[in-house]
Amino acid sequence: MPTVALHTLGCRLNQAETAIIANKLKQQGYQIVEFGQKADLTIINTCTVTEQADAKCRNAVRQSLRKNPDSFVAVIGCYAQMAVDVISQIQGVDLIMGNEHKMAIDRYLDDNLQKQAQPLVVHSSKISRKPFVIESIGLYDTHTRANLKIQDGCNFVCSFCIIATARGPARSREFDDLVNEARELVDHGFKEIVLTGVNIGTYQYQDKTFLDILRELEKINGLQRIRISSIEPTTVTPELIDLMADSQKICRHLHIPLQSADDKILESMRRKHTFDDFERIVNYAVKRLPDVGLGTDIMVGYPGEDDAAFINTKKRVADLPLAYFHVFTYSDRKGTTSFKMKPKVAPQVKKLRNRIMIEMGQRKKFAFYRKFLGQTVDVLFEQQINGLWEGFSDNYMRIKARSDRSLKNEIIPVKLIEIDGDKIIGEIH
């Protein structure tokens, strides 16, 4: 039985795709082993969102080759899409596959996995706009939540983002195909499904929209939670929030990327929303879903972000009813519009702004958690760490509790007692 080690860098969508590839290979007789162990085949699914991500990909490839010099090494995904020439120069790589073909990697593997003098390159510079199907379901051996890929690519082309180039134009998965995978995942015991893609709110297949996916998944017996992953502000409609408010299954959790709260910076970023647009969405969500966990992304140090623009963002974000936010420091990305924009923000200024916003985010999370102390919430437990079982509430609070028995993949009421860093300690109720 040949062995395969898979390694994923980057986003939840990459994780979903790796899980599907893993299941395909398992069905074809491969034994899945941990990355770093000796393996006949090594697949590295890459990310290219920043130059630091590119460096991590190269390091992962070289690390794998050092540990397993005889392994057949396939480098696939976003970095493989953008940097064929660079990857080809890494001695020992056998297969390079861009995003157009990577989900069919099993068709390009021969039985003996013979090492190549020069890597086979399977790559298309233009990625199809056609709707797609996925021939397998994801393999998630250690998790209780499964990712469901519903969409790929993006037409928004923000000035700082390379993903529209790496992933291609927006395209949607055939409706019945994604619903069938959801049913199979539930049959395999998963209680929560996370909808994922590049720009999931733009889903459109024939007459079906993102709301139609939610309504159809609600009908699946045994599916207890439907979680929406990161979704663009312009695609979060009052109808979506109303559906969440009326649903017993859709998690009260929205991660809506803002990036900046200064309208001049948003315009320069080519974002599709103003701050007022974002604020209206957030306020309506809190009105309809008082316990909603709202998260966002904030970027600091974008070219042209002067002190006034940063202060504007800091003040406005401070006033928003957010549960948490992720802070990213802008870095130049060759191939994006912002790469040539000036003036650049000094590295020490970017570092300071990053720290200020991270500290604000920590205070926001603490304040959100504090509201729930003494209350009882349902937690889907995932794993045991240091003697405590950990999992998430539907509004995305990380909660841990002690139990003498296994709680894996169980949804259990927990009374929230005290905050411990970025988690809440609770008692099984």
Side-chain angles (χ1 to χ4, degrees), residues 178-195:
L178 71 88
V179 173
N180 287 338
E181 183 182 355
R183 289 197 183 103
E184 285 193 60
L185 289 168
V186 172
D187 288 344
H188 280 71
F190 291 99
K191 291 187 168 73
E192 179 175 311
I193 284 177
V194 185
L195 304 183

Side-chain angles (χ1 to χ4, degrees), residues 205-273:
Y205 176 70
Q206 296 178 349
D207 63 339
K208 302 296 186 182
T209 67
F210 184 66
L211 294 183
D212 291 311
I213 294 175
L214 295 172
R215 293 187 184 105
E216 192 66 25
L217 295 188
E218 281 189 305
K219 300 175 186 176
I220 298 177
N221 292 330
L223 178 58
Q224 298 189 38
R225 285 184 176 180
I226 306 163
R227 191 175 298 277
I228 300 170
S229 65
S230 183
I231 183 168
E232 283 293 308
T234 51
T235 65
V236 181
T237 62
E239 291 79 12
L240 170 58
I241 294 169
D242 290 341
L243 180 60
M244 293 176 69
D246 295 336
S247 174
Q248 298 298 311
K249 294 187 176 184
I250 303 173
C251 293
R252 297 165 301 158
H253 169 224
L254 285 169
H255 186 95
I256 314 172
L258 172 60
Q259 306 302 355
S260 173
D262 183 88
D263 284 336
K264 288 183 178 178
I265 297 297
L266 288 172
E267 184 179 6
S268 178
M269 289 177 167
R270 290 207 298 257
R271 299 290 286 160
K272 305 294 184 186
H273 63 275

Side-chain angles (χ1 to χ4, degrees), residues 132 137-138 152 169 203 255 265 293-294 369 371 373 406:
F132 60 92
I137 70 167
D152 205 340
Y203 179 90
H255 186 95
I265 297 297
L294 291 171
Y369 279 6
K371 292 193 310 181
L373 293 181
S406 173

Side-chain angles (χ1 to χ4, degrees), residues 8-116:
T8 309
L9 295 125
C11 65
R12 185 181 293 276
L13 178 56
N14 271 8
Q15 295 169 13
E17 291 167 339
T18 300
I20 290 164
I21 292 168
N23 198 30
K24 275 187 176 184
L25 294 175
K26 184 178 180 181
Q27 290 173 346
Q28 292 177 17
Y30 283 83
Q31 178 185 351
I32 312 293
V33 299
E34 288 188 19
F35 181 69
Q37 291 186 4
K38 186 174 177 59
D40 300 304
L41 168 64
T42 300
I43 299 174
I44 301 172
N45 193 5
T46 59
C47 172
T48 192
V49 70
T50 64
E51 289 187 352
Q52 291 92 334
D54 291 354
K56 285 183 180 179
C57 294
R58 293 191 295 272
N59 289 339
V61 174
R62 293 189 178 105
Q63 174 192 348
S64 174
L65 288 166
R66 280 196 302 271
K67 291 184 176 180
N68 285 304
D70 298 327
S71 183
F72 184 98
V73 175
V75 182
I76 68 174
C78 290
Y79 186 52
Q81 180 72 27
M82 302 297 294
V84 171
D85 292 344
V86 176
I87 300 169
S88 296
Q89 294 171 15
I90 302 176
Q91 191 68 33
V93 172
D94 301 290
L95 175 62
I96 303 171
M97 300 193 77
N99 279 322
E100 178 83 347
H101 307 284
K102 70 180 181 184
M103 300 308 291
I105 186 173
D106 54 303
R107 299 174 190 168
Y108 294 86
L109 302 171
D110 58 29
D111 291 337
N112 57 13
L113 295 172
Q114 192 71 36
K115 294 289 289 180
Q116 305 295 309

